[in-house]
Amino acid sequence: MKFGKIFKKQMVPEWVEAYMDYNGLKRILKQIRSYKHSKLTRVASRVSQQAEALHRSFSGLSFHHRNSGGGDIEDQVIKVDTFQQDDSHRNLYKTKFLKKSEEGSEFEESFFKKLDENLNKVNRFYREKVEEVLEEAALLDKQMDALIALRVKVKKPDDASSNTNLDKHPSDKVVVDDVRTPGSANRDMVHGIDRTSIPEEEASHIVTDIVPASHTDENEEEDGGGDKQDLHEILDRVKMNDALDSPLSTLKGLFGDSKEPVSKKGLKKAEEQLRLVFSEFYQKLRRLKEYSFMNLLAFSKIMKKYEKIASRNASRNYMKTVDNSLIGSSDEVNRLLERVEVTFVKHFSSGNRREGMKCLRPKVKRERHRVTFFSGFFSGCSIALIVAVVFKIESRKLMEKDYELVPCELSCLTLTSLFMSCSLFGYIILHMLIYSANIYFWRLYRVNYTFIFGFKQGTELGYREVFLVSTGLAVLAFICFLLNLQFDMDWKMKDNNTLPEVIPLGLVTMVLFILFCPLNIIYRSSRVFFLRSLLHCICAPLYEVTLPDFFLADHLTSQVQAIRSLELFICYYGLGEYMQRQEKCHSHGVYNVFYFVVGVIPYWLRFLQCIRRLCEEKDSVHGYNALKYMLTIIAVIIRTAFELKKGRNWMILALVSSGVAICMNTFWDIVIDWGLLRRHSKNPYLRDKLLVPHKSVYFAAMVVDVILRVAWMQLVLEFNLKSLHKVAVSTIISCLEIVRRGMWSFFRLENEHLNNVGKYRAFKSVPHPFHYYDDDETDDKDD
């Protein structure tokens, strides 16, 4: 694989703009090569009529020019100047090309100008990130002080009261005194790359202490007891952060009593939070190290290409400058990586380095061939079963419009078993297939969906796994449906005629058992993640709203018909009507009430999420978003009332309310969620940055979104489609809504990813468990 593809693949997606523009420099080199080629062609045409001796003389000159590049000539090709700007003590580099008199030198001048811009950009970004991690490491030091003090107080209260000095070993520190030194004497450098640190798997088995014992003893003698601190002094300056991330903490915070006494439970919670903080901090350091390594390698590769094309030996001179720059000489990140490993292993894995490194470096998920095989197998089975179902329905004429002509047993089967089994699982399977397609295109266009959703590395599902689950569920659903038809019509189960009706219930029970199964089978981590997000949606105002929570809630709004099918399912089997093979749910008043409620619940949950975010973030956007969902709730209520009661007045109200809701939702989809229709952007009526190279895709998506939103009006207008039954029309529109939601999901996450790219936000922010009162005083002084 070419280096350009490897370089692109290894990039942190949110930091793409901060990397060296390798492809841009290659384009300039192509211009230099084409000019050199055309120049040689012109020279060859002039000397083609000369004698063979002159031709050999010309070749010798060319060879002599290519191989006479010693140190003196190299020094005469470029001269790299270093200077500081705006008293910031930050070095900037500017290369002066010394061969301006030669023909075509403007291409090489532009090459070195762009090369300097990239070097300065990379150094600037690297410096900012190193400063950030050093500040974060200092905060982690204070968090570890508080954790160790809290451990002593909780686990050994007697010792804490008698011995108030906290003796903290230097290895407990994340930041040590020599971590800010820009270099190391024992470092084996080749073009700024630390060769001794590349094989991380080998180095991970060796624990080395950065601070020598002699150095520690000297510090302890000078400080009069090392890092001993007053335990009570630390605890008096610290309080537990009151994160309102659970129903109980939210209710306590609402009534002004969210402070919990220090206990083993609080200690365990603080340790879990700090484990997450250290893990995320370690991943950030690793990405920063990879960023430095890949950019240094890119500079080395591009200079070698320049030497080969331009026949000038300038690589050694320029790479010496790169090695002496911040990204080539700084060693802070490597030192911090070692300190984090030592601290984490000691305090969070009981000194077991193997277990500690498993937490810090989770294994990358590998693609398995059996997933691909079974996906293809299940998809083929699904297609065959669909054909069988269609032939069975056509042979028995179950889709006739005049149901009175069909025997009672078949009419009940058609209206109940067919509708419940097919629609409920059909909507879910379609949604999963759309989600699988989304994952495929997110990966294709490098949308970092795993970071956006907060999936744990190594446990996220790829598009193959989601496709496997959806096709497997489709096979189960179609098998049960065929068995239902076979038992009821062909095998004539007279002694036990309720058996066919129990088959759909058995299918639902099996799916729910798999979903809630605590065993580590069938993607347990993903099932737990889904159930947790679903719980957060149901208890919307009591949990902190994260992107997976409101993303799932948005998808639930597109599954209203599936939820209503589940309600019919519960009514049909809960009231025992399947035993009489009669469906009279719509005659029950309670069912009709819940028919209203079920249609409103997804929008109501989303409304509560917006209110929660409005109260926490004080952003008016969430208020307008809540208004949008309230208008949708009103439209759904009026439309449902029209569906049950009919009447011209209800129809007018339904049309007006639905029209207003559609306009508001369409505007929000395109302008807010997708970030499109920007008049003054680089791409007119789109946005400045686009991941899909074809602009027509965005315009087509906007048109399709409007059409599918308006298709919702069919449920109110009820156009007379003679070829389709009312239930079929409702099912088709519900499927179109699921397709629209899938399209919305792709562009919504694309916009979120581009926002992260613009802010270089590549890591999630994990709240610290402890808060120092000194920080409040510092903030007040700053204000």
Side-chain angles (χ1 to χ4, degrees):
M1 187 182 292
K2 292 184 177 180
F3 175 75
K5 292 183 178 180
I6 298 175
F7 186 54
K8 185 177 180 180
K9 188 177 180 180
Q10 294 296 325
M11 287 181 179
V12 179
E14 288 78 10
W15 292 355
V16 169
E17 296 181 354
Y19 281 82
M20 170 191 176
D21 188 8
Y22 185 79
N23 290 330
L25 290 167
K26 276 183 64 177
R27 285 192 292 269
I28 300 178
L29 289 180
K30 287 180 180 179
Q31 294 177 352
I32 297 175
R33 182 169 56 189
S34 61
Y35 176 80
K36 293 280 186 181
H37 179 73
S38 62
K39 182 179 179 182
L40 288 174
T41 304
R42 291 195 302 269
V43 172
S45 63
R46 285 199 303 266
V47 301
S48 59
Q49 298 177 356
Q50 296 180 359
E52 186 65 19
L54 293 177
H55 179 69
R56 285 196 299 270
S57 177
F58 173 75
S59 300
L61 289 174
S62 178
F63 179 81
H64 175 72
H65 173 72
R66 184 176 289 108
N67 290 275
S68 61
D72 295 337
I73 296 179
E74 179 184 3
D75 294 338
Q76 294 175 1
V77 175
I78 59 172
K79 180 182 179 184
V80 184
D81 296 325
T82 304
F83 62 94
Q84 295 180 353
Q85 189 177 17
D86 300 333
D87 298 330
S88 59
H89 302 290
R90 297 180 179 181
N91 292 336
L92 297 178
Y93 302 94
K94 186 175 181 180
T95 302
K96 185 177 181 181
F97 186 66
L98 302 179
K99 300 290 184 178
K100 294 182 180 180
S101 59
E102 294 185 4
E103 187 179 358
S105 62
E106 62 273 9
F107 295 112
E108 297 183 59
E109 278 190 272
S110 64
F111 171 79
F112 282 106
K113 181 179 180 182
K114 189 173 184 64
L115 194 65
D116 292 337
E117 291 175 356
N118 279 271
L119 179 58
N120 292 327
K121 177 184 71 174
V122 167
N123 275 303
R124 181 170 59 252
F125 178 81
Y126 188 73
R127 180 184 294 275
E128 292 173 357
K129 290 302 174 183
V130 168
E131 291 174 354
E132 285 181 14
V133 296
L134 287 175
E135 291 176 3
E136 191 170 347
L139 292 176
L140 283 179
D141 256 349
K142 298 174 71 176
Q143 294 291 314
M144 286 303 302
D145 286 343
L147 179 67
I148 294 172
L150 188 61
R151 280 177 173 175
V152 173
K153 182 176 181 179
V154 172
K155 296 182 178 180
K156 298 179 180 179
D158 296 334
D159 295 344
S161 59
S162 60
N163 184 13
T164 59
N165 285 335
L166 176 63
D167 190 359
K168 186 182 175 187
H169 194 270
S171 64
D172 296 336
K173 289 186 177 182
V174 180
V175 180
V176 290
D177 296 335
D178 58 348
V179 82
R180 293 178 181 270
T181 55
S184 176
N186 297 324
R187 220 171 158 206
D188 187 7
M189 301 291 297
V190 177
H191 295 317
I193 301 169
D194 188 356
R195 296 192 303 186
T196 60
S197 64
I198 293 176
E200 295 179 354
E201 289 77 14
E202 298 178 5
S204 63
H205 298 291
I206 303 173
V207 183
T208 56
D209 195 356
I210 295 177
V211 184
S214 60
H215 179 69
T216 303
D217 297 337
E218 292 175 2
N219 286 345
E220 289 184 358
E221 291 176 2
E222 292 176 1
D223 297 339
D227 288 328
K228 292 184 178 179
Q229 301 182 43
D230 192 344
L231 174 62
H232 292 299
E233 180 184 350
I234 292 177
L235 294 178
D236 289 342
R237 292 164 47 214
V238 171
K239 69 174 182 178
M240 296 285 290
N241 272 331
D242 303 325
L244 307 181
D245 54 356
S246 66
L248 186 60
S249 61
T250 300
L251 292 175
K252 287 183 177 181
L254 186 64
F255 293 104
D257 184 21
S258 61
K259 187 174 182 179
E260 297 182 2
V262 177
S263 61
K264 290 185 178 180
K265 185 178 179 181
L267 174 61
K268 185 177 180 181
K269 183 179 178 181
E271 288 176 343
E272 290 176 354
Q273 277 188 274
L274 268 181
R275 281 176 66 93
L276 291 176
V277 171
F278 268 89
S279 179
E280 196 67 22
F281 182 61
Y282 188 79
Q283 297 305 319
K284 185 183 294 186
L285 292 174
R286 290 186 67 192
R287 295 292 177 267
L288 201 54
K289 181 179 178 180
E290 291 173 6
Y291 172 85
S292 171
F293 177 82
M294 293 306 298
N295 277 290
L296 289 171
L297 197 57
F299 277 109
S300 177
K301 291 285 185 181
I302 202 68
M303 287 306 299
K304 287 180 180 178
K305 284 183 176 293
Y306 170 78
E307 280 190 343
K308 183 178 179 181
I309 292 172
S311 301
R312 301 185 191 277
N313 295 325
S315 175
R316 184 179 300 174
N317 192 8
Y318 197 86
M319 288 309 300
K320 189 181 297 183
T321 302
V322 174
D323 290 344
N324 293 329
S325 68
L326 179 68
I327 197 170
S329 61
S330 175
D331 201 28
E332 289 94 337
V333 174
N334 287 327
R335 291 173 177 272
L336 282 175
L337 278 169
E338 294 174 3
R339 295 309 307 158
V340 171
E341 290 176 5
V342 172
T343 304
F344 190 87
V345 168
K346 179 179 179 181
H347 291 284
F348 298 103
S349 61
S350 303
N352 189 332
R353 181 169 178 80
R354 177 173 295 180
E355 292 299 322
M357 296 311 296
K358 279 184 180 179
C359 296
L360 291 176
R361 296 181 184 175
K363 293 183 178 179
V364 179
K365 190 174 183 179
R366 295 179 179 179
E367 300 289 347
R368 301 184 182 275
H369 295 294
R370 64 171 177 261
V371 173
T372 305
F373 170 77
F374 281 109
S375 297
F377 176 74
F378 286 148
S379 59
C381 292
S382 300
I383 295 172
L385 290 170
I386 289 174
V387 173
V389 168
V390 170
F391 275 110
K392 181 67 70 175
I393 292 175
E394 286 296 323
S395 64
R396 297 295 179 176
K397 299 181 180 179
L398 293 180
M399 296 303 293
E400 288 185 359
K401 189 172 182 180
D402 297 328
Y403 291 104
E404 293 78 5
L405 301 178
V406 185
C408 178
E409 291 84 359
L410 295 183
S411 65
C412 295
L413 176 66
T414 301
L415 292 174
T416 307
S417 298
L418 176 63
F419 178 75
M420 289 187 301
S421 302
C422 218
S423 63
L424 177 61
F425 289 100
Y427 294 141
I428 296 173
I429 292 168
L430 176 62
H431 214 132
M432 294 177 67
L433 290 173
I434 296 294
Y435 178 61
S436 174
N438 277 334
I439 294 177
Y440 173 80
F441 286 109
W442 286 332
R443 287 190 174 184
L444 180 63
Y445 294 109
R446 294 181 57 80
V447 175
N448 195 358
Y449 72 97
T450 56
F451 165 68
I452 294 174
F453 285 136
F455 294 143
K456 187 178 178 181
Q457 185 179 354
T459 63
E460 71 279 4
L461 294 183
Y463 66 92
R464 290 186 179 90
E465 288 83 1
V466 178
F467 186 76
L468 172 65
V469 174
S470 57
T471 51
L473 182 59
V475 169
L476 284 176
F478 284 122
I479 288 176
C480 291
F481 183 64
L482 275 176
L483 285 175
N484 200 337
L485 291 176
Q486 199 72 22
F487 274 121
D488 208 342
M489 295 187 300
D490 292 341
W491 293 343
K492 302 292 184 181
M493 303 280 299
K494 293 181 179 180
D495 297 333
N496 192 3
N497 58 2
T498 61
L499 180 61
E501 301 295 327
V502 178
I503 293 176
L505 181 62
L507 176 61
V508 172
T509 304
M510 182 172 61
V511 172
L512 291 177
F513 174 78
I514 294 173
L515 182 62
F516 289 96
C517 180
L519 301 178
N520 191 15
I521 57 173
I522 313 179
Y523 308 118
R524 178 180 178 273
S525 58
S526 298
R527 289 189 284 111
V528 171
F529 186 90
F530 171 77
L531 291 175
R532 186 189 300 115
S533 297
L534 185 62
L535 177 64
H536 290 182
C537 291
I538 295 173
C539 306
L542 301 179
Y543 281 99
E544 182 182 5
V545 182
T546 59
L547 189 141
D549 300 338
F550 71 74
F551 193 83
L552 178 60
D554 276 324
H555 279 259
L556 289 178
T557 61
S558 298
Q559 286 285 7
V560 171
Q561 289 301 115
I563 300 174
R564 282 177 170 170
S565 298
L566 183 61
E567 180 198 6
L568 179 62
F569 197 95
I570 295 172
C571 174
Y572 186 70
Y573 287 99
L575 298 179
E577 295 185 358
Y578 71 98
M579 300 182 68
Q580 290 79 29
R581 298 175 63 81
Q582 295 178 357
E583 194 277 296
K584 297 181 179 179
C585 288
H586 286 281
S587 62
H588 296 288
V590 177
Y591 174 83
N592 290 329
V593 171
F594 276 97
Y595 195 75
F596 274 92
V597 174
V598 164
V600 169
I601 284 177
Y603 300 100
W604 177 251
L605 297 178
R606 193 68 188 89
F607 171 79
L608 293 178
Q609 287 179 338
C610 294
I611 295 299
R612 166 93 186 217
R613 296 188 71 186
L614 176 64
C615 296
E616 288 184 341
E617 301 176 19
K618 311 298 181 183
D619 191 346
S620 60
V621 174
H622 302 308
Y624 293 120
N625 202 12
L627 175 63
K628 180 194 72 173
Y629 286 106
M630 181 55 66
L631 292 175
T632 308
I633 289 171
I634 295 172
V636 169
I637 292 175
I638 296 177
R639 193 193 70 189
T640 307
F642 167 70
E643 183 180 346
L644 295 177
K645 296 183 178 180
K646 304 299 180 181
R648 183 177 179 82
N649 293 333
W650 282 110
M651 182 178 181
I652 295 174
L653 288 174
L655 282 173
V656 174
S657 60
S658 298
V660 173
I662 287 172
C663 292
M664 185 74 172
N665 280 280
T666 305
F667 171 81
W668 201 273
D669 286 347
I670 298 174
V671 178
I672 306 299
D673 290 340
W674 296 355
L676 301 177
L677 289 181
R678 305 289 190 232
R679 292 182 58 186
H680 303 292
S681 67
K682 297 178 182 177
N683 306 295
Y685 296 101
L686 296 177
R687 65 170 101 88
D688 290 340
K689 299 176 183 177
L690 304 173
L691 293 182
V692 181
H694 306 289
K695 298 179 183 179
S696 58
V697 172
Y698 295 92
F699 291 107
M702 288 189 283
V703 173
V704 172
D705 185 75
V706 173
I707 293 173
L708 295 183
R709 282 286 190 185
V710 175
W712 197 49
M713 296 288 287
Q714 165 61 23
L715 299 177
V716 179
L717 297 174
E718 294 185 344
F719 291 116
N720 187 16
L721 302 175
K722 296 181 180 180
S723 59
L724 293 175
H725 188 263
K726 178 182 175 181
V727 176
V729 174
S730 176
T731 302
I732 292 173
I733 292 176
S734 299
C735 291
L736 291 176
E737 169 60 21
I738 293 173
V739 173
R740 188 202 65 80
R741 180 60 65 182
M743 181 183 67
W744 172 89
S745 300
F746 173 80
F747 293 106
R748 174 66 180 85
L749 249 68
E750 181 206 21
N751 190 35
E752 183 72 19
H753 173 75
L754 290 175
N755 290 334
N756 292 338
V757 170
K759 299 176 182 178
Y760 299 111
R761 188 168 52 206
F763 303 94
K764 62 182 178 181
S765 176
V766 182
H768 292 175
F770 302 106
H771 178 74
Y772 279 78
Y773 293 107
D774 301 345
D775 297 337
D776 295 335
E777 296 176 1
T778 305
D779 294 340
D780 294 338
K781 290 179 180 179
D782 293 339
D783 294 338

